[in-house]
Amino acid sequence: IEKAGFITIQINHATSKDRIRFGKTEEDATSYRKPLEAPLKKGKTDNDDSLSLSGSYSDDSWEDLDDSNSQKVIVTPKSTDRVSLTIGIKSCRELLAGDANGLSDPYVKVILGDEDIHKTKHILKTLNPVYSLETNSTFVFNGYADEIIKNNGLDFKIKDWDRVGSSDTLGTVHITPEEIWAMAGSSSSLAEKEFLILPHKRLLGPQSVRGSILQSKRLLGPPNEKAGFITIEIKHATSKDRDQFGKTEED
């Protein structure tokens, strides 16, 4: 006999419910575990610790990606796949001073193409803001992967809130689709990353407020090639995330 029949097997990321229901078996299965092996993506070197796999972004099994696995499991979605991402603006540091007191009142806008999709609340008089749920730090993006792909990712614009006139832009961070998928496919310890903020226009033109012209405003300090750093977390949204952050209030 050249064959002995067929067997159908399903393998997916375990959810917390799976671990509660199936975590204990009569025979210890740990001795049968083998390291995951997969071909490296084209252009990757042998010391690259990321894996590129195909998969669906609509599967809630991503909610419980094992933090003990230090490898990045990069699942690249198709343009027609729906994606649900929890995006958190954690903090900034070493921002440029936008006000005469040597400080700023920073907040962060998230932009997809030409659309503002989220905005944190501003924090007064600091160059090192730490954002929280109270300052609207986190939101859930629900949409199609194509929206992120065709706009080449997301832009995070760091702005200095002004009581009078328009807010000044301190700097911008761009995150590509590849970086987004990599962060979302990582364990929680790797889903958070610090990015260099690139400075915006240093000289801001005259601003018109109720018919009067305000003096041109220059960001304080010498010219910089960087405008600080921002820490951002991107992960697959859980059902709890969607319930909690699906709708946000505008500052």
Side-chain angles (χ1 to χ4, degrees):
I1 300 177
E2 296 182 357
K3 60 183 177 66
F6 302 89
I7 182 172
T8 300
I9 298 172
Q10 181 185 35
I11 300 176
N12 58 279
H13 289 280
T15 66
S16 55
K17 291 181 180 179
D18 291 339
R19 287 194 286 270
I20 294 173
R21 186 176 181 185
F22 307 118
K24 295 182 179 180
T25 60
E26 294 181 0
E27 185 175 357
D28 184 9
T30 58
S31 61
Y32 297 100
R33 294 181 180 174
K34 294 180 64 178
L36 177 65
E37 297 180 357
L40 290 171
K41 288 182 68 177
K42 184 177 180 181
K44 296 291 184 180
T45 59
D46 291 341
N47 60 1
D48 194 313
D49 63 350
S50 63
L51 298 174
S52 179
L53 307 174
S54 62
S56 172
Y57 266 58
S58 61
D59 191 346
D60 282 342
S61 60
W62 283 102
E63 296 182 8
D64 298 281
L65 191 64
D66 187 1
D67 289 347
S68 64
N69 182 5
S70 61
Q71 285 182 313
K72 301 176 187 177
V73 182
I74 304 174
V75 180
T76 302
K78 301 175 183 177
S79 61
T80 55
D81 283 347
R82 290 196 63 84
V83 296
S84 185
L85 302 171
T86 300
I87 301 174
I89 294 97
K90 297 295 185 178
S91 62
C92 299
R93 65 182 178 92
E94 301 176 22
L95 294 178
L96 297 179
D99 297 329
N101 60 5
L103 300 172
S104 292
D105 305 317
Y107 66 94
V108 181
K109 292 176 68 173
V110 186
I111 302 169
L112 177 62
D114 296 325
E115 181 183 359
D116 296 346
I117 61 173
H118 184 73
K119 181 171 71 172
T120 70
K121 295 181 179 180
H122 65 273
I123 299 178
L124 293 172
K125 299 179 180 179
T126 180
L127 300 181
N128 302 284
V130 176
Y131 297 96
S132 64
L133 299 184
E134 288 72 23
T135 51
N136 204 23
S137 64
T138 305
F139 72 104
V140 169
F141 170 81
N142 288 305
Y144 289 95
D146 185 57
E147 297 178 67
I148 293 177
I149 295 171
K150 71 181 181 182
N151 288 295
N152 195 29
L154 296 170
D155 289 307
F156 293 76
K157 189 171 289 187
I158 298 84
K159 299 181 73 71
D160 174 37
W161 176 82
D162 284 327
R163 188 177 300 277
V164 179
S166 60
S167 299
D168 307 319
T169 299
L170 301 175
T172 304
V173 167
H174 177 74
I175 304 182
T176 66
E178 292 76 16
E179 289 177 301
I180 293 171
W181 313 143
M183 292 174 70
S186 301
S187 62
S188 60
S189 60
L190 297 175
E192 186 174 303
K193 183 177 179 180
E194 184 176 77
F195 294 87
L196 174 68
I197 301 171
L198 298 180
H200 196 59
K201 299 176 183 178
R202 294 198 52 79
L203 182 61
L204 304 176
Q207 302 177 42
S208 175
V209 180
R210 295 184 181 178
S212 63
I213 301 297
L214 298 182
Q215 183 179 3
S216 297
K217 181 178 178 182
R218 182 185 297 274
L219 296 177
L220 304 182
N224 288 293
E225 295 182 356
K226 62 182 179 66
F229 303 88
I230 183 171
T231 298
I232 298 169
E233 180 183 51
I234 300 178
K235 61 182 180 179
H236 290 281
T238 65
S239 55
K240 291 181 180 179
D241 292 340
R242 287 189 286 270
D243 291 340
Q244 184 174 2
F245 306 117
K247 295 181 180 180
T248 59
E249 296 182 0
E250 187 173 350
D251 185 12

